[in-house]
Amino acid sequence: MRVRVDHGADAIYVNLTDRAIKDSAEVADGIVVDYDAEGRIVGVEILDASKRTDDPEVLKQFSFELPTVG
């Protein structure tokens, strides 16, 4: 799993797997879910991320990769 913060785009992307993205859907205002060919979730993008938190400054220090399990 990888979590990336794009400060220029003010977006956070949580990548759950390395599978190819086949389709995407905006499931709520500014929340986009990416799916693979089998309909499994590949990742989630949060747009306007700084507006969705009480402390936008925390996003400046938030960017990391979590180890892959399995």
Side-chain angles (χ1 to χ4, degrees), residues 42-54:
V42 173
V44 178
E45 183 175 32
I46 302 168
L47 305 173
D48 298 321
S50 66
K51 296 175 186 169
R52 298 174 186 272
T53 179
D54 290 335

Side-chain angles (χ1 to χ4, degrees), residues 8-50:
D10 194 19
I12 297 172
Y13 190 78
V14 180
N15 185 276
L16 302 174
T17 180
D18 290 330
R19 291 188 304 266
I21 297 169
K22 171 74 173 167
D23 196 16
S24 299
E26 186 170 15
V27 296
D29 185 37
I31 308 295
V32 179
V33 177
D34 294 329
Y35 301 94
D36 68 6
E38 285 78 39
R40 297 176 294 190
I41 296 174
V42 173
V44 178
E45 183 175 32
I46 302 168
L47 305 173
D48 298 321
S50 66

